[in-house]
């Protein structure tokens, strides 16, 4: 009896040890599997972290199409949860030792990952990438990222509402100064509608609106960078800066005509596309990514476009005829855990997007993305993408500030919210912005 | 089995029963905790390959981070109010549903229900209520208190957090209080009523003192939950308007993952751990002294 019990105990113990050991050993086994996928004729499985959740289903379809043409490559899409930052997800994957083969990250994240990702300088698509699209991801002469999408923002207008307000067909070129914008707002208000909606999200106010104060300093990118350097060094007096003041003059105007003036901070993102699409307001400060939501409320027969955010009363000043646009999402290829075969497969997928007809169709028509490659001749099908393409073609583009510090939108977005709700005045806002920059690492 | 002799046999027995748990506890709690402490001495940003040793810099950084202490102060205020309100409401609910009224089982289940909803979902539901339902009702009925969104005003947003927290946890604490109330010996109560004690007197002199263990548990739980509030904070106010309701956990998280200063964020988390552990241990230590025997 006693002997039997001891035997049982031993067997239970050995079972536990076996379970633990097999759990630990599982990973090593799969790793050796993947490393055996050396030759290209064998099947390769690659993964991609997708941080544009709105195109997840299109991307999965693209993965299927790509697999159909390259039967030995299977692409799996790993979505980033909504509300989670792609940087956080990617660093968590690295920490757990299982990064995806491809990672779609924001421009500002690339530098942090540069020791862990492939140098893509010699890829064939480099020669077709539009001007400046890889400048922000090039370090020591090496480019580490694939420019995936261009996005832009400004005042989105509803053509129906504005036609009604001006009594004819509204011409977007007629608004190039703060005074002209004021007149337009008054005309809209005269029709009984609200001129615009200011969405109070910190990312919109902090990263996008306030970003115009930096990017609008000069058409020369080097001078903008110098301005940021001076800000960090505490050598800029924002309170007397012309672009900053001009931008806030426009913001004061927006505050006055805001449909949510009574409680400016209570609005949500979802409210913006609704009131704009239904024609309750004429203008919304937002970007082309809002198109799917606007289209679901559309009453203007798909007629929308962008107006620049004026910063002065001289139409020739930089920023008054430009809208802000830049490459927003980048794709990086892991070099730590990916096998050479996986890296080749991932590079093949990037080539497929740029040069294959189906890849281009996915990018432009299915995912409604404005491509960053000059060889792609397909036109965006949605009005906001079209509007941005027109500005790009006319050269009326102001570089978006896509390399601001990671907590800039959150901290200074809060300062902009205070200004929007009249908790602080302009001098207070300027000093909060300067204090942030002098503390940033 | 403990009587069995021999070191090996006893070790084996212990290993079978506690081994798996110990293994799990060590891998998911102890090792990450120690690794976390190690990270507080580095300037790691969450992804870089090198982790440079920076000594005590991060801890000095914690004391220099005024926003951390400001949000810690606000969290203290929040914890104090929610602990008092949650336990008061929970006790009253428990008292009400043990009086033998009709359908009290249903009431118990109903009050407990908010606990079964995750904090994130709950935050979004209440965000809709505060932003839309109450505002709509306030404007229709001319109630100035509700005519603008609570979440757009720093003070009201703070109270919105409190309302939802109390609503969520009161039901849970109620269950513990019900158990406490049930355990008050009937004979003592009977003796008191024969002696002519009023209901109020019985509550103050007999029920409350006998329920001190329940209070210790409930206050401990609500303290700890209050300090660690994060999900509700993120989903209901996301720290807004303009960071005025950013509780300390959320600040720590943002410091580590948003400002990408993992070392400093981890150091703040560790300081927070020490402070919360000290407060809760003191609470348990002192309230233990209030316990009485029936």
């Amino acid at each position: 009896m006693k002997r039997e019990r001891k035997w049982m105990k031993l067997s239970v113990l050995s079972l536990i040890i076996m379970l633990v050991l097999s759990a630990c050993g599982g990973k090593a086994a799969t790793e050796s599997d993947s490393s055996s996928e050396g030759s290209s004729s064998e099947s390769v499985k690659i993964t991609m972290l997708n941080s544009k959740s709105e195109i997840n289903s299109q991307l999965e379809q693209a993965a299927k199409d790509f697999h159909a043409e390259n039967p030995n490559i299977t692409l799996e899409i790993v979505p980033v949860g909504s509300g989670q930052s792609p940087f956080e997800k990617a660093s968590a994957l690295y920490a757990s030792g299982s990064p995806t083969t491809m990672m779609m990250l924001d421009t500002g994240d690339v530098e942090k990952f540069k020791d862990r990702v492939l140098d893509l300088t010699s890829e064939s698509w480099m020669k077709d990438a539009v001007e400046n699209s890889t400048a922000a991801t090039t370090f020591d002469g090496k480019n580490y990222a694939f420019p995936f999408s261009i996005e832009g923002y400004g005042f989105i207008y509803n053509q129906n509402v504005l036609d009604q307000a001006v009594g004819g067909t509204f011409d977007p070129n007629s608004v190039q100064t703060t005074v002209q914008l004021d007149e337009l707002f008054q005309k809209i208000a005269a029709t009984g509608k609200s001129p615009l909606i200011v969405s109070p999200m910190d990312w919109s106010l902090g990263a996008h609106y306030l970003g115009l104060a930096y990017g609008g300093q000069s058409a020369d990118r080097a001078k903008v960078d110098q301005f940021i350097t001076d800000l960090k060094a505490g050598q800029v007096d924002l309170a007397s800066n012309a672009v900053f003041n001009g931008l806030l003059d426009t913001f004061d105007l927006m505050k006055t005509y805001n449909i949510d003036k009574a409680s400016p901070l209570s609005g949500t993102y979802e409210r913006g596309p609704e009131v704009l699409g239904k024609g309750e307001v004429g203008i919304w400060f937002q970007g082309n990514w809002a198109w799917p939501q606007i289209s679901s409320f559309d009453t203007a027969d798909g007629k929308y476009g962008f107006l620049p955010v004026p910063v002065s009363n001289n139409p020739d000043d930089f920023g008054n005829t430009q809208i802000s646009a830049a490459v927003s999402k980048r794709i990086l290829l892991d070099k730590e855990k990916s096998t050479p075969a996986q890296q080749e497969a991932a590079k093949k997928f990037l080539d497929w997007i740029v040069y294959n007809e189906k890849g281009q169709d996915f990018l432009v028509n299915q995912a409604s993305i404005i491509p960053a490659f000059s060889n792609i001749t397909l036109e965006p099908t949605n009005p906001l993408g079209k509007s941005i393409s027109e500005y790009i073609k006319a050269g009326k583009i102001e570089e978006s500030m896509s390399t601001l510090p990671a907590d800039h939108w959150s901290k200074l977005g809060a300062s902009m919210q205070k200004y929007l709700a009249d908790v602080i005045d302009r001098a207070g806002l300027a000093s909060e912005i300067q204090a942030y920059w002098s503390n940033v690492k | 089995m403990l009587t069995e002799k021999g070191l090996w046999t006893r070790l084996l027995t212990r290993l079978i029963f506690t081994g798996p748990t110990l293994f799990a506890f060590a891998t998911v709690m102890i090792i990450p905790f120690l690794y976390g402490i190690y990270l507080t001495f580095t300037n790691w940003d969450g992804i870089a390959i090198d982790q440079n040793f920076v000594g005590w810099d991060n801890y000095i950084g914690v004391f220099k981070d005024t926003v951390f202490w400001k949000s810690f102060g606000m969290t203290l205020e929040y914890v104090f109010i929610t602990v008092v309100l949650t336990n008061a409401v929970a006790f009253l609910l428990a008292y009400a549903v043990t009086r033998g009224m009709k359908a009290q089982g249903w009431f118990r289940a109903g009050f407990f229900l908010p606990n079964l909803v995750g904090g994130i979902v709950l935050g979004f539901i209440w965000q809709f209520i505060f932003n839309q339902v109450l505002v709509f009702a306030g404007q229709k009925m001319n109630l100035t208190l509700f005519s603008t969104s609570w979440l757009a005003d720093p003070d009201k947003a703070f109270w919105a957090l409190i309302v939802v927290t109390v609503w969520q946890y009161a039901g849970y604490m109620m269950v513990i209080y019900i158990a406490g109330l049930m355990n008050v010996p009937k004979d003592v109560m009977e003796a008191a009523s024969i002696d002519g004690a009023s209901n109020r007197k019985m509550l103050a002199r007999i029920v409350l003192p006998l329920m001190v263990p329940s209070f210790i548990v409930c206050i401990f739980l609500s303290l700890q939950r209050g300090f660690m509030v994060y999900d509700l904070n993120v989903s209901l106010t996301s720290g807004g308007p303009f960071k005025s309701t950013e509780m300390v956990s959320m600040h720590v998280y943002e410091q580590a993952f948003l400002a990408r200063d993992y070392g400093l964020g981890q150091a703040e988390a560790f300081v927070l751990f020490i402070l919360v552990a000290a407060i809760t241990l003191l609470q348990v230590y002192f309230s233990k002294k209030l316990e009485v025997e029936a």
Side-chain angles (χ1 to χ4, degrees):
Chain A
M1 185 68 187
K2 197 172 178 194
R3 183 172 269 268
E4 198 178 81
R5 219 193 281 166
K6 194 166 185 177
W7 180 84
M8 262 177 66
K9 262 191 285 183
L10 266 176
S11 64
V12 169
L13 185 68
S14 57
L15 190 71
I16 289 168
I17 291 171
M18 265 168 59
L19 278 173
V20 169
L21 285 183
S22 64
C24 293
K27 202 171 160 210
T30 49
E31 259 169 23
S32 66
D33 279 353
S34 61
S35 63
S36 69
E37 291 164 356
S39 66
S40 58
S41 61
E42 280 175 54
S43 65
V44 186
K45 187 175 169 254
I46 54 175
T47 49
M48 176 174 182
L49 187 70
N50 172 31
S51 56
K52 274 179 88 65
S53 54
E54 68 273 20
I55 62 158
N56 213 52
S57 57
Q58 289 93 326
L59 204 50
E60 279 180 357
Q61 185 56 46
K64 274 181 208 148
D65 294 344
F66 179 66
H67 180 65
E69 287 176 31
N70 302 276
N72 59 332
I73 304 175
T74 315
L75 173 61
E76 191 190 323
I77 307 298
V78 180
V80 175
S82 69
Q84 196 182 21
S85 88
F87 176 90
E88 185 196 326
K89 176 87 177 177
S91 56
L93 285 173
Y94 266 108
S96 65
S98 55
T100 51
T101 326
M102 291 182 267
M103 286 158 282
M104 189 195 293
L105 297 176
D106 295 320
T107 304
D109 300 335
V110 176
E111 190 175 4
K112 298 272 185 193
F113 284 87
K114 73 178 194 311
D115 296 337
R116 296 177 187 261
V117 297
L118 278 180
D119 169 14
L120 300 175
T121 322
S122 51
E123 288 302 297
S124 51
W125 42 258
M126 282 292 286
K127 66 180 189 316
D128 290 312
V130 296
E131 208 187 330
N132 277 333
S133 60
T134 55
T137 57
T138 302
F139 306 99
D140 302 327
K142 290 175 186 161
N143 173 41
Y144 291 94
F146 173 86
F148 182 66
S149 63
I150 292 181
E151 290 183 308
Y153 61 85
F155 287 130
I156 304 175
Y157 62 86
N158 177 322
Q159 183 87 40
N160 253 4
V161 178
L162 268 58
D163 283 353
Q164 214 182 329
V166 299
T169 306
F170 172 73
D171 172 19
N173 288 322
S174 65
V175 180
Q176 296 182 346
T177 66
T178 312
V179 172
Q180 286 169 345
L181 184 68
D182 192 3
E183 284 163 4
L184 177 67
F185 283 163
Q186 284 172 13
K187 281 181 196 159
I188 303 173
T191 63
K193 294 188 166 165
S194 294
L196 91 162
I197 176 163
V198 182
S199 292
M201 293 80 62
D202 47 6
W203 52 266
S204 176
L205 296 174
H208 298 161
Y209 198 84
L210 187 58
L212 295 173
Y214 313 130
Q217 290 295 331
S218 168
D220 181 1
R221 186 69 210 219
K223 285 188 180 156
V224 174
D225 290 343
Q226 185 58 43
F227 181 76
I228 298 285
T229 313
D230 291 347
L231 258 179
K232 279 185 191 162
Q235 287 163 348
V236 174
D237 181 27
L238 268 184
S240 65
N241 184 285
V243 177
F244 177 73
N245 277 308
L247 188 70
L248 285 183
D249 286 341
T250 304
F251 196 67
D252 288 343
L253 208 60
M254 290 159 69
K255 275 162 70 174
T256 317
Y257 291 104
N258 184 6
I259 186 174
D260 287 332
K261 197 185 174 200
S263 177
L265 293 183
S266 55
T268 53
Y269 177 78
E270 289 74 20
R271 189 169 148 75
E274 186 181 340
V275 289
L276 182 80
K278 285 182 177 169
E280 289 171 30
V281 302
I283 289 170
W284 181 33
F285 176 74
Q286 203 54 249
N288 61 303
W289 52 84
W291 174 246
Q293 292 97 330
I294 296 174
S295 69
S296 63
F297 292 105
D298 179 25
T299 56
D301 203 19
K303 285 191 195 127
Y304 298 85
F306 279 100
L307 288 179
V309 179
V311 292
S312 73
N313 284 319
N314 176 6
D316 297 332
D317 279 350
F318 179 67
N320 286 349
T321 49
Q322 281 83 4
I323 66 159
S324 188
V327 178
S328 54
K329 292 286 181 190
R330 314 272 177 168
I331 296 177
L332 287 75
L333 303 188
D334 166 64
K335 73 172 175 190
E336 275 188 356
K337 297 278 177 184
S338 306
T339 61
Q342 285 175 319
Q343 292 171 4
E344 282 312 309
K347 284 178 179 172
K348 219 171 181 178
F349 179 67
L350 298 184
D351 283 339
W352 183 79
I353 293 179
V354 183
Y355 296 112
N356 187 295
E357 208 175 296
K358 275 204 151 168
Q360 294 183 351
D361 175 71
F362 147 72
L363 193 69
V364 182
N365 297 332
Q366 310 304 322
S368 311
I369 279 170
I370 305 163
F373 295 95
S374 49
N375 68 306
I376 299 179
T377 49
L378 292 173
E379 289 286 329
T381 46
N382 72 76
L384 297 184
K386 250 183 215 157
S387 180
I388 289 178
S389 299
E390 279 160 20
Y391 277 99
I392 293 176
K393 271 185 214 139
K396 290 181 168 179
I397 286 297
E398 173 180 328
E399 188 78 16
S400 295
M401 299 303 296
S402 47
T403 50
L404 294 171
D407 57 352
H408 177 277
W409 60 267
S410 151
K411 292 213 165 121
L412 291 185
S415 302
M416 287 296 287
Q417 287 175 338
K418 285 185 203 167
Y419 185 73
L420 176 63
D422 288 324
V423 177
I424 52 172
D425 61 4
R426 195 178 290 190
L429 177 65
S431 71
E432 281 195 11
I433 295 171
Q434 280 177 324
Y436 168 80
W437 279 103
S438 53
N439 283 324
V440 85
K441 278 188 188 170
Chain B
M1 265 194 257
L2 285 173
T3 52
E4 276 176 313
K5 290 201 175 84
L7 185 68
W8 167 240
T9 332
R10 277 163 65 183
L11 199 69
L12 199 65
T13 315
R14 297 244 153 95
L15 214 58
I16 287 172
F17 287 100
T18 58
T21 321
L22 268 181
F23 177 76
F25 187 65
T27 48
V28 304
M29 298 287 292
I30 303 294
I31 295 172
F33 187 77
L34 295 178
Y35 183 61
I37 294 176
Y38 158 74
L39 283 179
T40 62
F41 296 104
T42 69
N43 65 353
W44 198 44
D45 60 7
I47 185 66
I49 289 176
D50 304 322
Q51 302 173 348
N52 296 321
F53 199 72
V54 294
W56 294 95
D57 279 11
N58 286 324
Y59 288 93
I60 297 166
V62 176
F63 289 96
K64 279 192 191 153
D65 185 358
T66 49
V67 183
F68 174 76
W69 293 104
K70 214 182 101 198
S71 60
F72 184 72
M74 184 173 58
T75 310
L76 273 182
E77 198 183 331
Y78 163 84
V79 167
F80 181 78
I81 300 173
T82 51
V83 165
V84 171
L85 285 182
T86 306
N87 288 288
V89 171
F91 185 79
L92 289 177
L93 289 178
Y95 199 67
V97 297
T98 46
R99 295 288 90 185
M101 61 179 177
K102 241 186 204 173
Q104 62 182 15
W106 285 99
F107 279 108
R108 288 182 197 184
F111 293 136
F112 183 72
L113 213 59
N115 249 285
L116 303 177
V117 187
I120 294 279
V121 177
L122 210 143
F124 285 127
I125 295 170
W126 277 87
Q127 193 182 48
F128 178 73
I129 294 177
F130 280 119
N131 273 337
Q132 314 279 333
V133 181
L134 287 182
V135 173
F136 182 79
Q139 283 168 351
K140 292 280 166 211
M141 292 187 280
N142 271 328
L143 297 168
T144 41
L145 182 62
F146 295 117
S147 61
T148 58
S149 171
W150 273 32
L151 301 179
D153 177 280
D155 293 328
K156 286 183 188 163
F158 180 75
W159 280 97
L161 271 177
I162 290 176
V163 167
V164 180
T165 310
V166 171
W167 179 77
Q168 185 186 9
Y169 289 141
Y172 186 80
M173 304 306 162
M174 175 195 75
V175 173
I176 302 175
Y177 285 130
I178 289 174
L181 279 170
M182 301 288 211
N183 279 337
V184 174
K186 293 275 175 301
D187 48 347
V188 182
M189 299 289 279
E190 229 172 78
S193 71
I194 289 167
D195 288 345
S198 66
N199 260 346
R200 187 186 293 181
K201 207 155 211 169
M202 285 204 291
L203 185 68
R205 296 283 169 83
I206 300 169
V207 178
L208 285 181
L210 281 174
M211 279 186 61
V212 167
S214 307
F215 277 105
I216 295 175
V217 172
C218 286
I219 291 175
F220 175 80
L221 284 178
S222 43
L223 264 181
Q224 175 260 339
R225 287 182 175 194
F227 274 114
M228 296 300 158
V229 64
Y230 177 74
D231 48 0
L232 188 66
N233 200 185
V234 167
S235 57
L236 186 63
T237 67
S238 33
F242 41 83
K243 299 227 172 287
S244 55
T245 59
E246 193 177 86
M247 296 292 165
V248 71
S249 302
M250 192 171 164
H251 176 74
V252 167
Y253 179 87
E254 299 219 324
Q255 195 64 260
F257 293 102
L258 197 59
R260 290 179 198 167
D261 199 339
Y262 209 93
L264 179 59
Q266 188 71 42
E268 289 183 346
F270 188 61
V271 169
L272 180 66
F273 164 79
I274 304 253
L275 289 171
V276 175
I279 292 172
T280 45
L281 288 177
L282 282 177
Q283 177 256 330
V284 172
Y285 176 78
F286 283 110
S287 44
K288 276 267 180 203
K289 298 193 163 182
L290 294 171
E291 281 189 36
V292 293
E293 294 277 327

